Each structure stands twice: as C-alpha cells, then as structure tokens.
Amino acid sequence: MCRHLAYLGPPVPLSRLLFDPPHGLAHQSWAPRDMRGGGTINADGFGLGWFPPVLSERLPVVYRSARPLWSDPALPGLAAATSSGAVLAAVRSATVGMPVTESAAAPFHDGPWLFSHNGRITGWPDSVVDVAAGLPVRDLITLDAPTDSALLWALVRARLRAGATLGDALSSVVTSVAAAAPGSRLNLLLTDGQSIAAVVYGHALSVLASEGSVLVASEPVDDDPGWRAVPSLSLLVADPSAVHISEGAFA
Ligand code: GLN
C-alpha cells in the first residue's frame, strides 16, 4: 500500500521529510515497514505538493512522477533547496490492474487542495458505479487517471467545492464508498495548506505534534518518542496548534 505524509509548521526543506530522517519517505519507498494489504515496495511513482512560502497566492506547487522516488537524480538537490511550511507527499505501489502513470500518483490537486489515498476500493470499478454516478459528468470525463484513487479525489473535491470542511468531505466519501464497497481500504489524506484531515481506514497512520508544527505519516519517519499511532477507523483533523482525533468515526 502506498505511503503518504503531510506537514504543517515553520518552513523546512523538503529533504527534512524525504531524505534526512532515517525512515523518511525516500526510505519508505524501498523499505516500508508496514505493507499490509499488498505490495512490497512503493516504486510506481511519487509526488510532492508544497505551498511556497514566498508566493502571495498561496497555491501549491505539485511535482509528480511515474518513476520510483529514489531514481530521480534531481530530487535530492531540489528537495534540499526547496522549503515549505505546508507539504503533502506520497509514494505509490500501484494496485494490480491500475496504470502506472504520472497522473495516477498523488497528490491529486486542485486550487489549494492536495489529496492522497492509500488503499484500494474492493470490487473496483463495478462496486462504485452508483457512487460515481453522483458526480458531474465533466468531473468523470476529466479524472486524472482510471484509478480508484482518482475517483476518490473527484468525490472529495466535489464535496469541497460544495463548501464542506476538509474533515466532512473525507468523512462523507468514506461513508458512502465503504457502504458500496465493503472491505475497501480508504486511508485518505488532505490539506489546504492551513489544516490537515486524514482518515485511518484499513491501514496505519501516526502523528507527531510539537511546538507549532504537525506531521502526519503512514509510518513514523524517525524514532522521536512523540509519535502517536492514530487508532483505526478514526478521523484526524490537525493544524500546527491542535490535533483532534475522532475515534470510531467509521466504526
Ligand atoms: N489503489 C491506489 C493506486 O493504485 C493506491 C494504491 C496503494 O495504496 N498502494 O494508485
């Protein structure tokens, strides 16, 4: 299963999330510790989304690739030279039958929103035809990729556009997809650069909150004793000053 993380706080070089920690996202791409639900490594693409601290528009920059994260020779230098206080990054292990293309790698994005999914929809695609039918046709014919994650993003984005909060958008999508496709793994991660929302549904998530920053990750990136495991079936909503965990939100 894919690995993802999101950070909010004082600007840090992207390398502080990817390459510098002993179990940063680069290490998780080839040596993940917890790949329950399928896959062994996350070699089917990666993506970074970050809000540049110097731009007044506050829209994120996104860099996605279909290659393994470790195989991009420009990335270590780029990550060391690029700082941000709001980041979402992911490495992908493609579900069997799904294409390996740049546009299938997270983060999926639109406006201020960055989104990632770790897991799979059981019975794809038939199980969620009715759920997808609720989307505007335009959204369906412009999906990023013919994958479960891209559909989940379209469902989340439709709710955000309608005015839902980050947490409500994720909750609503998980509730409807889980009902249509029981047994799905729906670990979702979303940020707008101000706050983070995440769902733990079928896989692990940990959070590290310290003075004025918060880091949420599929696997802790280091052995800091402050890491907390987020209980299964929870909704997490966090910003640099507070972490709220709704336990049993999807029980
Ligand atoms: N099913 C998604 C994809 O193929 C996510 C895969 C995963 O979490 N490993 O992109």
Side-chain angles (χ1 to χ4, degrees):
M1 296 279 127
C2 309
R3 315 278 66 200
H4 53 206
L5 61 76
Y7 168 81
L8 294 178
V12 295
L14 302 185
S15 49
R16 283 264 297 273
L17 305 170
L18 305 182
F19 295 106
D20 300 346
H23 196 54
L25 202 62
H27 195 254
Q28 291 181 33
S29 68
W30 55 270
R33 294 190 176 125
D34 183 359
M35 288 291 278
R36 73 185 83 165
T40 51
I41 58 171
N42 296 290
D44 301 320
F46 69 92
L48 320 169
W50 70 95
F51 287 75
V54 288
L55 290 190
S56 52
E57 240 191 302
R58 292 289 297 168
L59 288 181
V61 177
V62 173
Y63 177 55
R64 301 195 283 180
S65 170
R67 65 199 295 179
L69 186 152
W70 67 79
S71 74
D72 185 336
L75 196 59
L78 179 79
T82 305
S83 291
S84 174
V87 182
L88 189 151
V91 290
R92 179 172 183 237
S93 170
T95 297
V96 172
M98 298 201 183
V100 177
T101 58
E102 181 184 308
S103 62
F108 299 92
H109 58 101
D110 195 7
W113 302 304
L114 299 167
F115 172 82
S116 171
H117 164 230
N118 156 16
R120 63 173 173 75
I121 292 179
T122 302
W124 171 265
D126 304 281
S127 57
V128 283
V129 166
D130 288 347
V131 176
L135 282 170
V137 172
R138 188 179 191 287
D139 291 4
L140 288 170
I141 63 175
T142 56
L143 278 186
D144 281 57
T147 65
D148 52 1
S149 302
L151 176 69
L152 288 166
W153 165 232
L155 293 167
V156 168
R157 184 181 56 186
R159 286 154 174 80
L160 292 169
R161 284 175 172 166
T165 63
L166 303 191
D168 286 349
L170 295 189
S171 292
S172 163
V173 168
V174 167
T175 300
S176 61
V177 172
S184 296
R185 293 174 181 268
L186 303 168
N187 305 280
L188 310 184
L189 184 60
L190 176 67
T191 186
D192 60 359
Q194 307 293 316
S195 60
I196 293 169
V199 170
V200 189
Y201 198 101
H203 212 303
L205 189 75
S206 294
V207 58
L208 176 66
S210 52
E211 288 290 300
S213 74
V214 60
L215 177 58
V216 175
S218 303
E219 301 183 14
V221 304
D222 57 26
D223 55 10
D224 190 309
W227 282 102
R228 277 191 288 155
V230 183
S232 193
L233 305 177
S234 298
L235 171 71
L236 171 145
V237 177
D239 63 35
S241 59
V243 175
H244 300 285
I245 295 173
S246 308
E247 281 194 47
F250 307 103

